[in-house]
Amino acid sequence: MLAKIFIKPKKGILDPQGKAVSGALARLGFNRIQDVRIGKYIEIKFDAGDTDTAQSDVRSMCETLLVNKVIEDFTFEIAEE
Amino acid sequence: MLAKIFIKPKKGILDPQGKAVSGALARLGFNRIQDVRIGKYIEIKFDAGDTDTAQSDVRSMCETLLVNKVIEDFTFEIAEE
Amino acid sequence: MPKIKAGVIVFPGTNCDRDTYYALKQTMGCEVDSVWYETKTLRKYQLIVIPGGFSYGDYLRAGALARFSPVMEALREYTEKKGLILGICNGFQILLEAMMLPGAMQRNDTLKFICKDVQVRVERNDTPFTLLYKKGDRIQIPIAHAQGNYYGSEQTLASLEKQNQIVFRYCDESGNTTEQSNPNGSLHNIAGLCNSETTILAMMPHPERASDSTLGNDEGRKIFLSIKKALS
Amino acid sequence: MDNVEKILKELNLTGDEYKKITGYIGREPNITELWIFSAMWSEHCSYKSSRPYLKRMPSSGKDVLIGPGENAGVVSIGDGLAVVFKMESHNHPSFIEPYNGAATGVGGILRDIFTMGARPVAILDSLRFGEPDDDKMKYLIDGVVAGIAGYGNCMGIPTVGGEIYFDAAYKDNILVNAMAVGVVPDDRIFLAKASGAGNPVFYVGSKTGRDGIHGATMASASFTDETAVLKPTVQVGDPFMEKLLMEACLELMKTNHIVAIQDMGAAGLTSSSVEMAAKGGLGIEIDLDKVPQREEAMLPYEIMLSESQERMLLIAKKGHEKAVEAVFRKWNLDVSQIGRLIESPEIIVKANNRVQARLPLTVLVDEAPVYTRYARMPVSVTTTATTNASEEIPEPKDYDSIFIQLLSSPTIGSKRWAYEQYDHSVGTDTVIKPGADAALIRIKGTRKGIAITTDGNSRYTYLSPYAGSGIAVCEAARNIACIGARPLAVTDCLNFGNPENPDVMWQFIESINGITSACLAMGIPVVSGNVSFYNETEGTSIYPTPVIGMVGIMDTLRERITPDFKDNGDSIILLGETLDECGGSEYLKLVTGKISGRPPRVSPEMEKRVIDLLHAMNKMHMVKSASDCSEGGLAVTVARCAIAGNKGAKLNMQWRYRPDLELFSESQHRIIITAAHKHVDKIKKMAQQNDIACKMIGMVGGRRLIVNNRVSVSVEDLRNAYHRGL
Ligand SMILES: Nc1ncnc2c1ncn2[C@@H]1O[C@H](COP(=O)(O)OP(=O)(O)O)[C@@H](O)[C@H]1O
Ligand SMILES: [Mg+2]
């Protein structure tokens, strides 16, 4: 299986990196940027019996290790490769 | 528009962070992990006349700034929010 | 003989500019300007230093945002006239992002910021930056970075080796370039690179922190003295 | 207001306090006003449980330019220069989000320094964690260390020292204290004291979000499950922004455009505006619509209470507005004139063209409640602190192995794993780096150096807050002396449990008394500090943990001493007396797992004599190396000197006590020095004249550390044990 995990800063939480990149894009002439948020993209290849197990495995990986729930939100997708 | 950009380490490039996370997941008991790759997830909200312009804008943001093509690959999606 | 004129570029977030300024004055006795990142020409200088620090907070990738500053245009023009450029730490990262040297920096393979003294071996002394060293000299010098893990594709590495562009490599106390002595995972133990014309030197270690015996180490001093000699 | 009780509870105000408020202002406060009160009257801002006791500490001295009360203390060091320093805690935020909690702690203390016009030259961090053996604690440790590194490194200010202790008492309440030191010309010091009614008030730096709205309240409450609900308010630090803010402020401070400046720390805009105006005896009017905002639809109280980082409030001179704005624009920073000073001593807060709050400043500042809390000696002091520790320790069969275990224990072992992540050489002023007894920072353009250290052993303070706190001062002074400097002044960070608990209050008062008597005896003033109460979780308090930050001065860098053994054949000399004192020691804990017994005896008078003696001997160029004895005792000190110098040593002890007790006793007021053999007689004589015990205990040389017929370990093995890491 292949899990694709998308992590981003929670709403309301300052994202200094996004802010800096937003400024840089504007200086480069992309001047209709409203907001930039930068997070992590994680791909995990793993074995799991079926999609349901895979779903619950990935959720628990996110919650225990991959995501800092105090400041980040996440979503994920699972494909059978 | 909302662009979702997925950046990951190029194939063949050692990803030390991915390796560390893979080890940590194994220690947590997720023992059928084959590979972990860690990259960036970027969301950009911006104005663009139509999807075609948006497409080409985002591609050029990636190629000029957001992605370092020596070590990274990217894909993106655009939604009309 | 007129005094050498050097410029130290200051980006928002640069933080070794004052250290570098001081070291240039102390070692080379040259005239030094702090050069604001919006400057449009560098014609009056014989040496430009891009110092260490966290330009634009090192956000996105170290050096990625600095690369688009106005002064970088001026720097390109300056290279055409064969002026000398020394990039230290963040300066190295910026030169890579600006594609003035090949390759890219990844995070240290320890995944941590590392600040300590390391040993590097001088691979060539026929550059303006190293002419007072002997080839094979081993010098102790501090590093302080989170992204100093040099990566180049196989072709890039082959060409760097072939053209002899590797100026410093991490090594052990006996001068051997072992895996153990490589602090950050850099391919081919690369700690410093030059361009093929040897007018640009980019290095992760900080010579300005190893140029004053009061600080317990002046083994990097000869880099500045070499430049002085080359320009005189 | 409906439901006053519920609101008061959320705001951490008591019913009596509410009554006081209505009495003073002669009406019911509205919700914005009540929030302002809750912030200004919080423990964190008002020091309502601690104020009377803090006054006991000596705070003046001939070199003190500014004592407690300003953003940081300022002490003259001659040559027209002064050092500015302070320590602060960021405990609760770091437990919730270790990386950002620690990072913003560093950011906050740095702002306190450059607010005063000083360029920060060093950071130190004093950390307390639970035992490093579970995943949660490892996560906290990694995050905190990385957060400190992340902020300080980006700012380009070296983190040059600190300390890390591990003890189960901190399992659910870690401590993260950060200290910063700056240097300023003594005629360019800026204060947070407003002047000139009509002068404009400027807001600069990051935009305001809903970050840390409960910050001051959270720091004034214990941890319960309810505090966990406050999580979304966590602050994220932006060191890049702070670097720009610092450079812009320092640039502005070279001009004559501003009259006062204050960072927005705890309780953000509220405390900075109220304090600046109140200090100047003026009032202030601010319009929240002019405050740069990051989030939509923020309520007035949210803007007033936000603890978004990297923001400053300053008062400019009327007519200089354009010039002020130009400096901040150059650095790409948000700057906005949000109000002005007024004659009448009150704060007027407007938003949406309406007055949202209007309160008299004297009530907010001077009438804040003061509590004389009930204090009582805890039972533990009589039960655990009076046992005879040495009787509980069986003599080891294998000295080598116990020695190696001690050397590699988390608290004693080298903290290289942490300080290698800190850029400690940026600035090109770090003459003595982390790893020695104290750090030494040179001041370019002079021959001077400043020495800095932090100290505080909370096992001692748990067993005897008075003695333990005195020891912290003594040890700090000794560490300063060991690198060849003279102690100058102290900043403190007093981390305690819940002051409403009489046990804790007793610990707090005893601790203040201990610091006070040690500082008085040694002539060292306390010029700044911070109190952090409510370090408890579900009713269990941490050990009382006063941390002492000390700054010393060295007139010429040539006087510096380092701990490493220098030459084979040098004599190893012990200054000070070893007693059978293993109470509260690392050795006792290692062998028995207990924290008990009487802590070592403390005598600030003797400490001063030892320090002065070392200083005198150093002036005569007789001291080749010096290092003090602290945790782990004499044996650990000798091992560290051997490792640092990469040289062995042979000790010939004349045992007064059982050898293990003598080797690992933590008696205070002791320093190990080395000297050329020809100086030994002179050294002994000087010691005798000053009534200080002095014994030659061995010689430098070889590749092993050998103690009589008990210990024999190679320097290599010592090094591996010491640097093993967690
Ligand atoms: N958190 C830390 N950050 C930076 N340096 C540290 C830290 N912890 C310890 N050190 C350094 O390691 C050395 C030894 O620390 P410690 O054992 O506390 O010293 P001492 O017993 O002399 O007070 C000192 O130089 C100290 O500054
Ligand atoms: Mg010490």
Side-chain angles (χ1 to χ4, degrees):
Chain A
M1 305 260 180
L2 177 68
K4 297 182 176 186
I5 303 167
F6 317 105
I7 304 174
K8 66 173 177 174
K10 266 201 174 136
K11 194 161 176 268
I13 294 264
L14 179 71
D15 175 15
Q17 181 158 233
K19 205 173 67 183
V21 168
S22 165
L25 286 172
R27 282 194 301 280
L28 282 173
F30 298 101
N31 40 27
R32 292 188 298 181
I33 308 285
Q34 289 158 17
D35 193 29
V36 179
R37 303 287 280 175
I38 302 191
K40 289 199 192 99
Y41 173 58
I42 304 183
E43 280 189 2
I44 302 185
K45 277 200 195 129
F46 67 120
D47 286 336
D50 52 70
T51 341
D52 276 1
T53 336
Q55 289 269 356
S56 81
D57 274 5
V58 172
R59 178 166 304 280
S60 106
M61 291 179 205
C62 287
E63 292 187 343
T64 49
L65 182 73
L66 304 176
V67 180
N68 179 350
K69 284 187 293 175
V70 179
I71 51 174
E72 295 169 333
D73 280 335
F74 69 98
T75 53
F76 62 89
E77 288 167 7
I78 288 179
E80 301 229 5
E81 278 186 284
Chain B
M1 304 261 180
L2 177 69
K4 297 182 177 186
I5 303 168
F6 317 104
I7 304 175
K8 63 175 179 174
K10 261 201 173 135
K11 204 159 169 257
I13 288 201
L14 193 72
D15 170 16
Q17 206 188 348
K19 219 172 72 185
V21 166
S22 167
L25 285 172
R27 275 194 304 283
L28 284 172
F30 300 100
N31 39 28
R32 294 190 296 182
I33 308 285
Q34 290 158 18
D35 191 30
V36 179
R37 307 287 281 174
I38 302 193
K40 294 196 183 90
Y41 173 59
I42 305 183
E43 280 188 3
I44 302 185
K45 277 200 194 128
F46 66 119
D47 287 337
D50 53 70
T51 341
D52 277 1
T53 337
Q55 289 270 355
S56 80
D57 273 5
V58 173
R59 177 166 304 281
S60 107
M61 290 180 206
C62 287
E63 291 186 342
T64 47
L65 177 69
L66 302 178
V67 180
N68 181 337
K69 286 188 288 176
V70 178
I71 45 177
E72 295 167 330
D73 280 335
F74 69 98
T75 52
F76 63 89
E77 287 166 9
I78 289 178
E80 302 231 1
E81 275 187 287
Chain C
M1 194 171 47
K3 271 200 177 177
I4 297 166
K5 259 188 173 272
V8 177
I9 299 183
V10 183
F11 294 101
T14 297
N15 65 31
C16 299
D17 48 320
R18 300 162 75 245
D19 304 359
T20 307
Y21 184 101
Y22 181 83
L24 290 173
K25 287 248 175 197
Q26 294 293 310
T27 57
M28 296 172 56
C30 59
E31 259 180 57
V32 192
D33 289 343
S34 284
V35 178
W36 191 237
Y37 73 109
E38 287 172 322
T39 306
K40 300 226 163 62
T41 169
L42 299 169
R43 252 171 255 150
K44 64 177 167 191
Y45 301 108
Q46 291 135 287
L47 169 69
I48 288 293
V49 184
I50 313 179
F54 286 67
S55 55
Y56 294 92
D58 271 4
Y59 291 134
L60 197 64
R61 298 179 305 275
L65 304 187
R67 167 191 163 197
F68 296 102
S69 302
V71 77
M72 293 307 286
E73 272 312 304
L75 195 66
R76 276 177 213 283
E77 179 205 65
Y78 170 88
T79 44
E80 278 156 26
K81 304 177 68 196
K82 306 274 179 267
L84 295 186
I85 300 175
L86 172 61
I88 303 169
C89 197
N90 196 225
F92 194 166
Q93 295 161 337
I94 293 170
L95 289 167
L96 290 177
E97 284 283 343
M99 291 177 287
M100 293 173 72
L101 287 170
M105 284 297 175
Q106 287 191 280
R107 269 176 88 171
N108 296 345
D109 63 359
T110 60
L111 301 179
K112 296 195 160 126
F113 190 98
I114 307 171
C115 176
K116 67 174 182 186
D117 279 354
V118 297
Q119 309 291 328
V120 300
R121 193 174 70 199
V122 180
E123 299 292 90
R124 56 187 291 190
N125 65 349
D126 57 343
T127 79
F129 306 93
T130 53
L131 48 85
L132 294 176
Y133 291 103
K134 288 199 288 293
K135 192 169 171 226
D137 271 357
R138 179 184 58 77
I139 57 180
Q140 178 167 324
I141 188 164
I143 55 168
H145 59 246
Q147 299 176 46
N149 176 356
Y150 179 83
Y151 172 85
S153 66
E154 264 169 47
Q155 299 93 296
T156 303
L157 289 168
S159 131
L160 289 174
E161 294 284 3
K162 184 149 169 271
Q163 305 211 45
N164 199 15
Q165 281 174 250
I166 301 168
V167 182
F168 299 113
R169 284 185 223 259
Y170 300 111
C171 67
D172 65 15
E173 305 264 340
S174 333
N176 302 314
T177 56
T178 57
E179 207 180 303
Q180 276 250 309
S181 59
N182 182 343
N184 53 26
S186 277
L187 293 180
H188 293 212
N189 280 38
I190 288 172
L193 287 181
C194 65
N195 58 345
S196 48
E197 296 94 339
T198 71
T199 52
I200 304 179
L201 172 69
M203 60 193 294
M204 286 315 290
H206 285 270
E208 83 282 11
R209 299 188 192 182
S211 294
D212 187 337
S213 56
T214 307
L215 302 179
N217 180 359
D218 59 2
E219 296 183 22
R221 194 180 166 87
K222 279 189 193 160
I223 292 180
F224 298 113
L225 297 178
S226 295
I227 297 172
K228 180 173 180 183
K229 184 157 181 215
L231 289 177
S232 301
Chain D
M1 239 181 302
D2 305 330
N3 221 341
V4 172
E5 249 160 60
K6 189 163 162 267
I7 293 170
L8 290 180
K9 185 151 183 278
E10 189 188 347
L11 270 55
N12 220 352
L13 285 167
T14 66
D16 282 346
E17 287 170 344
Y18 186 72
K19 266 194 221 122
K20 243 181 125 174
I21 291 169
T22 49
Y24 278 124
I25 66 174
R27 60 181 166 85
E28 303 265 305
N30 66 31
I31 188 73
T32 307
E33 291 172 333
L34 198 56
W35 272 93
I36 292 176
F37 267 106
S38 95
M40 291 309 299
W41 285 14
S42 70
E43 185 69 57
H44 194 83
C45 293
S46 76
Y47 289 85
K48 57 189 170 191
S49 303
S50 60
R51 242 188 300 168
Y53 306 103
L54 294 174
K55 291 211 186 92
R56 292 183 185 171
M57 299 194 280
S59 61
S60 56
K62 71 173 174 27
D63 300 321
V64 177
L65 301 180
I66 296 173
E70 271 293 334
N71 285 298
V74 185
V75 182
S76 165
I77 53 168
D79 287 338
L81 296 173
V83 279
V84 180
F85 58 96
K86 180 161 193 283
M87 184 161 22
E88 207 157 74
S89 64
H90 227 211
N91 305 336
H92 286 181
S94 303
F95 190 73
I96 292 174
E97 214 308 277
Y99 184 96
N100 283 293
T104 52
V106 170
I109 194 66
L110 288 173
R111 281 194 297 286
D112 278 334
I113 302 305
F114 69 77
T115 288
M116 304 203 65
R119 183 173 278 280
V121 296
I123 300 167
L124 291 88
D125 60 322
S126 177
L127 313 177
R128 303 291 181 278
F129 296 110
E131 298 291 350
D133 42 22
D134 65 79
D135 282 348
K136 166 90 202 244
M137 195 46 64
K138 287 205 182 111
Y139 165 77
L140 290 172
I141 296 167
D142 283 352
V144 164
V145 170
I148 291 166
Y151 212 99
N153 297 355
C154 181
M155 290 289 291
I157 297 157
T159 301
V160 298
E163 50 182 350
I164 309 180
Y165 285 81
F166 300 90
D167 206 299
Y170 304 102
K171 182 170 181 293
D172 297 310
N173 196 126
I174 61 173
L175 300 184
V176 175
N177 294 179
M179 171 174 172
V181 184
V183 175
V184 65
D186 57 14
D187 57 351
R188 301 295 302 166
I189 299 165
F190 283 79
L191 301 180
K193 184 177 166 193
S195 67
N199 275 339
V201 176
F202 279 96
Y203 169 114
V204 300
S206 284
K207 290 184 169 50
T208 297
R210 291 191 175 86
D211 319 327
I213 284 177
H214 293 267
T217 335
M218 188 164 82
S220 309
S222 311
F223 260 135
T224 57
D225 280 342
E226 269 170 51
T227 14
V229 184
L230 303 179
K231 272 183 174 181
T233 60
V234 73
Q235 299 131 310
V236 169
D238 182 354
F240 170 57
M241 172 64 75
E242 177 129 316
K243 166 76 174 161
L244 303 184
L245 191 60
M246 175 178 81
E247 295 299 343
C249 287
L250 292 177
E251 188 173 315
L252 186 63
M253 285 161 160
K254 288 189 187 140
T255 68
N256 63 345
H257 301 313
I258 63 173
V259 299
I261 177 165
Q262 156 109 4
D263 63 301
M264 290 188 230
L269 191 49
T270 299
S271 68
S272 52
S273 56
V274 166
E275 282 170 16
M276 271 209 283
K279 275 186 185 151
L282 292 166
I284 190 166
E285 185 181 282
I286 50 185
D287 181 353
L288 299 183
D289 295 344
K290 304 230 169 84
V291 171
Q293 291 165 41
R294 192 177 86 231
E295 292 181 71
E296 278 158 31
M298 289 184 70
L299 297 169
Y301 89 82
E302 293 179 315
I303 300 172
M304 285 306 286
L305 272 289
S306 162
E307 294 187 3
S308 289
Q309 300 289 298
E310 293 94 21
R311 303 178 303 160
M312 307 285 269
L313 197 67
L314 60 88
I315 315 281
K317 287 185 189 155
K318 207 174 158 81
H320 296 237
E321 292 85 350
K322 290 259 143 40
V324 169
E325 285 169 9
V327 172
F328 291 108
R329 294 256 158 73
K330 170 184 163 192
W331 290 94
N332 269 316
L333 293 162
D334 271 316
V335 50
S336 170
Q337 185 181 330
I338 63 165
R340 61 194 181 90
L341 296 178
I342 52 178
E343 290 288 354
S344 121
E346 58 185 348
I347 177 167
I348 303 174
V349 179
K350 290 186 183 157
N352 308 319
N353 295 318
R354 275 189 34 219
V355 173
Q356 304 285 345
R358 179 172 200 144
L359 293 169
L361 293 179
T362 46
V363 176
L364 283 171
V365 179
D366 304 330
E367 302 302 336
V370 177
Y371 294 120
T372 312
R373 307 247 187 226
Y374 179 44
R376 177 193 59 207
M377 184 165 89
V379 194
S380 62
V381 172
T382 37
T383 54
T384 47
T386 52
T387 58
N388 186 338
S390 303
E391 277 174 7
E392 310 203 22
I393 305 172
E395 182 170 0
K397 293 201 185 62
D398 182 351
Y399 271 66
D400 288 356
S401 132
I402 207 82
F403 185 29
I404 289 285
Q405 281 177 52
L406 199 57
L407 209 51
S408 59
S409 67
T411 293
I412 289 191
S414 153
K415 308 302 181 298
R416 191 167 74 184
W417 56 270
Y419 63 68
E420 254 182 23
Q421 294 179 55
Y422 304 152
D423 191 337
H424 45 73
S425 54
V426 64
T428 58
D429 288 325
T430 313
V431 178
I432 298 184
K433 296 179 187 145
D437 289 70
L440 182 63
I441 301 289
R442 75 165 165 192
I443 302 174
K444 288 190 183 101
T446 74
R447 294 152 74 191
K448 293 195 157 90
I450 34 189
I452 325 169
T453 183
T454 67
D455 285 283
N457 179 320
S458 60
R459 291 189 197 136
Y460 302 163
T461 38
Y462 165 66
L463 297 168
S464 165
Y466 181 87
S469 302
I471 288 175
V473 175
C474 288
E475 186 182 346
R478 204 183 318 138
N479 280 327
I480 297 282
C482 280
I483 65 163
R486 281 178 293 117
L488 195 62
V490 157
T491 180
D492 63 64
C493 194
L494 307 176
N495 307 273
F496 285 79
N498 184 341
E500 295 157 45
N501 172 346
D503 290 3
V504 169
M505 209 53 213
W506 181 84
Q507 293 171 329
F508 181 73
I509 296 168
E510 285 285 296
S511 174
I512 297 251
N513 292 343
I515 294 171
T516 302
S517 57
C519 284
L520 281 173
M522 301 175 74
I524 308 173
V526 179
V527 297
S528 59
N530 172 248
V531 178
S532 168
F533 277 132
Y534 297 98
N535 290 290
E536 69 163 22
T537 303
E538 304 293 348
T540 312
S541 291
I542 56 160
Y543 285 166
T545 314
V547 176
I548 298 296
M550 195 179 287
V551 171
I553 182 78
M554 189 181 291
D555 294 324
T556 152
L557 292 174
R558 255 177 300 157
E559 289 172 0
R560 67 184 182 272
I561 314 171
T562 51
D564 48 303
F565 284 154
K566 302 289 183 310
D567 297 301
N568 290 336
D570 284 349
S571 301
I572 303 173
I573 297 161
L574 171 66
L575 300 178
E577 198 177 5
T578 307
L579 303 173
D580 174 6
E581 291 184 308
C582 289
S585 68
E586 280 294 325
Y587 183 45
L588 175 70
K589 185 188 171 219
L590 179 72
V591 178
T592 67
K594 288 186 186 166
I595 314 296
S596 62
R598 248 179 236 101
R601 194 183 52 148
V602 56
S603 163
E605 293 76 19
M606 185 183 299
E607 189 69 60
K608 185 156 186 339
R609 273 186 286 129
V610 173
I611 289 173
D612 290 346
L613 175 65
L614 177 68
H615 195 66
M617 295 187 312
N618 188 38
K619 285 263 184 216
M620 298 168 71
H621 309 289
M622 298 193 297
V623 183
K624 282 202 179 176
S625 77
S627 187
D628 78 314
C629 298
S630 54
E631 289 86 12
L634 183 159
V636 165
T637 302
V638 172
R640 283 187 185 172
C641 300
I643 295 165
N646 199 18
K647 288 194 161 51
K650 197 157 186 289
L651 302 193
N652 245 313
M653 304 286 296
Q654 284 158 5
W655 307 116
R656 264 177 78 187
Y657 307 102
R658 214 174 71 199
D660 59 321
L661 303 179
E662 188 153 348
L663 286 175
F664 306 133
S665 156
E666 296 184 4
S667 290
Q668 297 297 303
H669 324 309
R670 293 181 302 161
I671 298 174
I672 300 272
I673 63 171
T674 56
H677 191 68
K678 62 177 183 199
H679 290 136
V680 173
D681 286 340
K682 174 86 192 156
I683 286 173
K684 282 189 173 161
K685 200 158 152 223
M686 286 175 74
Q688 199 182 10
Q689 282 162 356
N690 288 282
D691 199 16
I692 299 291
C694 172
K695 274 201 208 85
M696 177 173 150
I697 57 169
M699 232 165 50
V700 176
R703 301 292 316 146
R704 304 180 78 77
L705 174 55
I706 298 169
V707 185
N708 298 24
N709 53 353
R710 307 274 167 170
V711 175
S712 174
V713 187
S714 72
V715 175
E716 209 45 45
D717 289 347
L718 293 176
R719 174 176 298 115
N720 291 335
Y722 183 58
H723 288 307
R724 182 174 300 161
L726 292 182

